[in-house]
Each structure stands twice: as structure tokens, then as C-alpha cells.
Amino acid sequence: MADDESDRRRTDGMSLDELREEIQTIDREIVEHIAQRTYVADAIAEVKREQGLPTTDESQEQRVMDRAGENAQRFDVDDNLVKAMFRLLIELNKVEQRESR
């Protein structure tokens, strides 16, 4: 993939400390994206409450999992690992939605 090659070129020749700093930056960005996802999930929970919809939507969850697997394959990352991470994110959001009802 072009993105993968670009990432490799960017890290070629970096020292161990520089590579670790890059990981720290990526980790912070991952947490930032999880927070953004959680805020949007909270908004979805509010809409569900207002419309009297159930917390769980299995067809939507399946679409999320399918997308996660496709994106993992696109970036040559283990799709089972990525799906496991998304399953955890979904479960965390569902717990929060149930608790806020």
C-alpha cells in the first residue's frame, strides 16, 4: 500500500529514541480518536433515548466489524486483532449507553 510505504520511508533512518517518540505520538492520537469516537457514541445514545430505540443494534455492529476488517486488510494489519479492538470499543459504548438510560 502507498500509505504503508510512505510510513516506512518516514521512519527509515530514525534512531531508537526518535522511533519511540513516534510511537508516543501515535499512541496519543489513538487515544484522541477513541475519545472522539466515544463523544459521537454518546450523541448516538442520546438520539436513541429520544427516539425510544434499543441500545443494541446488531446489524450496525456487524457493519462496524466488517469495516474494521476491511480497513485492517487495506493497511495489512491482522484483521482479527483489529476486530477484537473494535468489539471492545463497541462493548464499552454499549455499557455507557445502558448506564445513562
Side-chain angles (χ1 to χ4, degrees):
M1 293 281 136
D3 292 331
D4 191 37
E5 288 178 30
S6 172
D7 289 341
R8 259 192 228 117
R9 280 193 302 271
R10 188 180 70 210
T11 58
D12 281 351
M14 292 176 76
S15 71
L16 180 59
D17 287 340
E18 290 169 328
L19 290 166
R20 286 180 173 159
E21 286 178 26
E22 183 72 10
I23 288 289
Q24 288 175 357
T25 298
I26 293 166
D27 289 349
R28 181 189 51 75
E29 291 170 354
I30 288 170
V31 173
E32 181 180 351
H33 286 292
I34 290 170
Q36 290 172 341
R37 190 182 195 287
T38 300
Y39 299 145
V40 173
D42 289 346
I44 289 170
E46 182 61 30
V47 170
K48 285 180 177 181
R49 266 192 302 281
E50 290 170 359
Q51 296 181 4
L53 297 171
T55 301
T56 301
D57 180 344
E58 291 181 18
S59 64
Q60 176 60 21
E61 289 177 27
Q62 187 58 52
R63 286 190 293 274
V64 170
M65 297 303 287
D66 291 344
R67 268 194 322 267
E70 290 167 7
N71 284 325
Q73 290 174 2
R74 178 176 163 223
F75 289 102
D76 196 28
V77 178
D78 184 305
D79 60 329
N80 288 322
L81 175 62
V82 171
K83 286 180 181 181
M85 293 170 58
F86 271 84
R87 173 59 51 208
L88 180 58
L89 290 171
I90 290 169
E91 290 305 316
L92 289 171
N93 291 140
K94 285 172 25 177
V95 167
E96 284 187 22
Q97 287 181 20
R98 279 190 219 104
E99 289 176 354
S100 66
R101 282 192 176 234

